[in-house]
Amino acid sequence: MSSRTLQWLSLVGIIWLQSINGTNSNFPAYSSQLKNLLSISQVQLNNLAFASDAGKLLGWLSGIAVVYLPLWLVLIIGSSLGLLGYGLQYLFLSNQISLSYVHIFVLTVVAGNSICWINTVCYVVAIRNFPSDHQVAVGLTTSYLGLSAKIYTDTVNAAFSYSPVERAKGYLLLSSILPVIVSVITAPLAREVEVGRPRNMGVGFIALFVITMATGVYSVISSLESISGKLSPLGHAIGTGVFLFAPLAIPVAEKIIEVVRKCNVNIENKVYHFTIEDNIEGAERMEIELKDTRGELGAGEVRQEREGAETMEISGVKDQSGDQGGEVRVKEEIEVKVMLKRLEFWLYFFVYFFGATLGLVFLNNLGQIAESRGYSGRGTSSLVSLSSSFGFFGRLMPSLVDYYFARTKCTISRPASIVALMAPTAGAFFLLVDKTNLSLHISTAIIGVCCGAITTVAVSTTTELFGTKNFSVNHNVVVANIPIGSFLFGYLAAILYSKEGNGRDNGKCMGVECYRNTFIIWGSLCSLGTFLAFILYARTRKLYFQNGQVLNVNFA
């Protein structure tokens, strides 16, 4: 099998891994049931949401592991951690084992850490196997991570009853076994492919963009309540499965082209062998004539060949530099210790903290937010599915922009992109103060799109600011702010929720007032993050100007 076919197969494998790796996004769908079964307070429930993200504090372990262990082994370790963390929780909800709240907390940390291992393998494979198009490859595959909640919701709807307890069991069961199954299937593809010199992969990426866009459109449409009821749950699951298998068409087409080319070469060789004997006499006559003229033309030809070789060498260098297109070269290769001393890192850290992390905290609390507004279990799942579908488009959007501007020989400033995404996120938090269900759906869609896009842009930002050599460790340090923000922002929301729920039935709060102050504070913090992103943009814009024609957003 050719290296090009293996490249595309590895990309398909990453897509499948990312599609089932967002297990922490399932938490809002069963958090209310978990709260009732464990008889815990809102603050204790928030601690479990924090635990799901706290595993990322140890995400740097996976970055070190990929340096010393085979990628397939790192992948299996990650999925095994998820099997342990979610599997034991499933047995607990099934009354087959007895666990305390502390046990559930620790298992949630372990399950959350498993995501980092699989993510790291996906990033490394995409960057190594697509060196010239790694930004597009990472963005495309990462977008499928935003589809995880949609995939799990469709599967639960098709395979389990509408009982809240059974649905909670279903989410935990699938979160434990699906990553293991997919990891075993894709483990042979989780390796570095010898790609040789960079080749044009444009047609394949265009086809993959079309498939991905169609998948996103289907996900959004099937998430709308007015449309989803017209198709059976099994139909939703089958449709999602068909779109997940669709990317296989690209390596299959590549293999067919490879076979056809080999057949054509074999036919040409047979024709050549058939006619070579007829041409021997003519070749001998040509050789005699060449001997007569070689003395006269030899010196001139040598001079012409040397001049031509020099010309080809010069043009080759120009072409090689021209092939860079719109790809931004990294500022420098920076190790973790040096990175932590840079002002750019801390600006970037808090921009992510007040942007993508804050959005993830909102999504973690989406189950409780929906319940406080009177949504049922099925309505909450629909809202989670909606956020997942729009998050999918958000993660895909930067890849489309990168691919377009790379073809126009332009580059786009990543910090400028983050500024443009943070502003509407802040507005969405303030819109949540409105009590209508429409504002909840619109805000959820905006936050899903923008946070998904920031998550994808952050991968490229890390490589451009701090290099690709130590990316696996550096980026895990950056995203370590997720559990910190999950605890601080989530704890704040839980305290304000409990304050509003005092004196009510079991401390349960109902109404817009439960999260009104929380949304105002979150919106203000996101506005601060937007300002910090602008400062980061101002400090790093020279990096992009050094690489030729640049598309920068004018904020003046």
Side-chain angles (χ1 to χ4, degrees):
M1 189 177 294
S2 68
S3 61
R4 188 154 178 155
T5 303
L6 289 174
Q7 273 183 286
W8 288 116
L9 276 176
S10 68
L11 196 68
V12 173
I14 296 172
I15 287 175
W16 290 349
L17 285 171
Q18 292 284 32
S19 297
I20 50 82
N21 195 35
T23 49
N24 59 339
S25 62
N26 296 329
F27 184 78
Y30 61 84
S31 59
S32 296
Q33 288 73 38
L34 198 62
K35 178 182 177 181
N36 295 331
L37 290 172
L38 292 172
S39 299
I40 57 178
S41 66
Q42 183 65 27
V43 174
Q44 289 175 306
L45 182 64
N46 172 74
N47 291 338
L48 290 182
F50 158 72
S52 180
D53 294 325
K56 295 182 176 65
L57 287 172
L58 300 175
W60 53 272
L61 291 174
S62 62
I64 296 176
V66 297
V67 178
Y68 299 101
L69 299 176
L71 291 176
W72 66 266
L73 182 57
V74 178
L75 185 62
I76 296 300
I77 292 174
S79 60
S80 299
L81 290 173
L83 177 64
L84 176 67
Y86 290 115
L88 291 179
Q89 291 186 63
Y90 167 75
L91 294 177
F92 167 70
L93 289 185
S94 301
N95 295 320
Q96 299 184 33
I97 60 174
S98 177
L99 297 174
S100 67
Y101 174 79
V102 175
H103 292 146
I104 296 294
F105 183 92
V106 174
L107 290 173
T108 306
V109 172
V110 173
N113 181 250
S114 69
I115 299 173
C116 298
W117 292 73
I118 298 177
N119 260 341
T120 300
V121 171
C122 292
Y123 289 150
V124 170
V125 171
I127 291 173
R128 291 179 181 177
N129 289 354
F130 293 87
S132 300
D133 303 287
H134 66 270
Q135 294 174 355
V136 177
V138 169
L140 267 171
T141 54
T142 304
S143 65
Y144 279 85
L145 184 63
L147 201 62
S148 287
K150 167 68 174 173
I151 294 171
Y152 282 100
T153 298
D154 285 348
T155 309
V156 168
N157 289 339
F160 297 88
S161 67
Y162 291 141
S163 168
V165 176
E166 292 300 319
R167 292 177 63 83
K169 292 179 183 178
Y171 276 108
L172 288 171
L173 178 62
L174 292 174
S175 296
S176 64
I177 63 174
L178 269 186
V180 174
I181 295 173
V182 177
S183 294
V184 170
I185 293 174
T186 59
L189 304 175
R191 60 189 178 92
E192 185 174 358
V193 178
E194 294 294 335
V195 297
R197 64 182 182 86
R199 291 173 292 183
N200 182 20
M201 314 286 282
V203 176
F205 277 117
I206 291 174
L208 190 56
F209 273 127
V210 172
I211 293 172
T212 307
M213 290 292 292
T215 304
V217 171
Y218 169 79
S219 300
V220 171
I221 292 177
S222 61
S223 298
L224 300 177
E225 293 184 9
S226 58
I227 298 177
S228 60
K230 298 180 180 179
L231 190 63
S232 67
L234 181 60
H236 281 294
I238 293 175
T240 302
V242 169
F243 278 104
L244 287 177
F245 277 98
L248 266 179
I250 298 175
V252 169
E254 189 68 41
K255 182 63 178 178
I256 293 174
I257 293 173
E258 177 188 343
V259 172
V260 171
R261 285 176 178 173
K262 285 184 178 180
C263 292
N264 290 338
V265 170
N266 291 335
I267 293 174
E268 291 175 0
N269 289 336
K270 289 180 180 179
V271 173
Y272 173 77
H273 180 73
F274 178 76
T275 58
I276 189 170
E277 293 181 357
D278 296 337
N279 292 330
I280 288 178
E281 294 180 359
E284 291 176 350
R285 287 196 299 270
M286 289 176 64
E287 184 177 357
I288 294 173
E289 294 176 359
L290 285 173
K291 286 181 179 179
D292 295 336
T293 58
R294 187 172 296 167
E296 299 176 1
L297 301 177
E301 288 180 354
V302 169
R303 285 195 299 271
Q304 290 178 3
E305 288 177 0
R306 287 178 178 174
E307 293 173 358
E310 292 173 357
T311 303
M312 289 176 64
E313 183 177 354
I314 295 173
S315 63
V317 172
K318 291 180 180 178
D319 291 341
Q320 185 177 2
S321 63
D323 287 342
Q324 296 290 338
E327 183 177 351
V328 178
R329 291 166 293 182
V330 298
K331 184 178 180 181
E332 55 183 312
E333 298 292 343
I334 299 176
E335 295 183 352
V336 176
K337 293 181 180 179
V338 178
M339 181 182 72
L340 293 175
K341 298 178 182 178
R342 298 292 178 90
L343 177 60
E344 286 85 357
F345 166 76
W346 290 107
L347 284 171
Y348 178 37
F349 185 90
F350 283 106
V351 165
Y352 199 102
F353 187 68
F354 294 131
T357 296
L358 196 56
L360 291 174
V361 174
F362 165 78
L363 296 176
N364 282 342
N365 285 270
L366 190 56
Q368 291 297 303
I369 294 171
E371 184 185 54
S372 69
R373 298 202 178 196
Y375 279 74
S376 62
R378 185 98 186 259
T380 301
S381 296
S382 177
L383 198 61
V384 171
S385 182
L386 181 69
S387 68
S388 175
S389 299
F390 276 92
F392 171 83
F393 267 117
R395 292 172 183 268
L396 176 63
M397 187 167 54
S399 301
L400 292 170
V401 174
D402 280 341
Y403 187 77
Y404 172 77
F405 284 113
R407 293 173 66 86
T408 59
K409 306 299 181 182
C410 292
T411 58
I412 186 167
S413 170
R414 311 294 175 188
S417 300
I418 295 176
V419 174
L421 292 166
M422 292 275 284
T425 305
F429 281 124
F430 289 119
L431 180 61
L432 285 167
V433 176
D434 185 72
K435 63 180 181 180
T436 63
N437 290 337
L438 179 62
S439 66
L440 177 60
H441 282 78
I442 293 175
S443 297
T444 301
I446 293 174
I447 293 173
V449 167
C450 294
C451 290
I454 293 173
T455 302
T456 300
V457 171
V459 176
S460 298
T461 305
T462 302
T463 59
E464 290 170 8
L465 294 182
F466 311 118
T468 58
K469 184 178 180 180
N470 302 291
F471 166 80
S472 57
V473 177
N474 289 348
H475 194 64
N476 277 302
V477 172
V478 172
V479 299
N481 70 65
I482 294 177
I484 299 173
S486 178
F487 176 76
L488 294 178
F489 301 141
Y491 189 78
L492 171 67
I495 292 295
L496 295 176
Y497 176 94
S498 299
K499 182 180 179 181
E500 292 291 337
N502 280 341
R504 305 188 186 185
D505 183 28
N506 295 326
K508 182 178 291 187
C509 182
M510 298 295 294
V512 181
E513 295 78 12
C514 301
Y515 286 95
R516 181 189 297 274
N517 293 332
T518 299
F519 294 146
I520 294 174
I521 294 174
W522 285 356
S524 301
L525 290 175
C526 193
S527 299
L528 174 61
T530 305
F531 177 71
L532 295 177
F534 178 79
I535 296 177
L536 180 64
Y537 158 75
R539 288 184 60 86
T540 58
R541 60 187 302 179
K542 291 182 180 179
L543 166 66
Y544 297 90
F545 277 120
Q546 289 172 356
N547 291 279
Q549 187 178 358
V550 183
L551 179 69
N552 273 290
V553 180
N554 185 10
F555 295 108

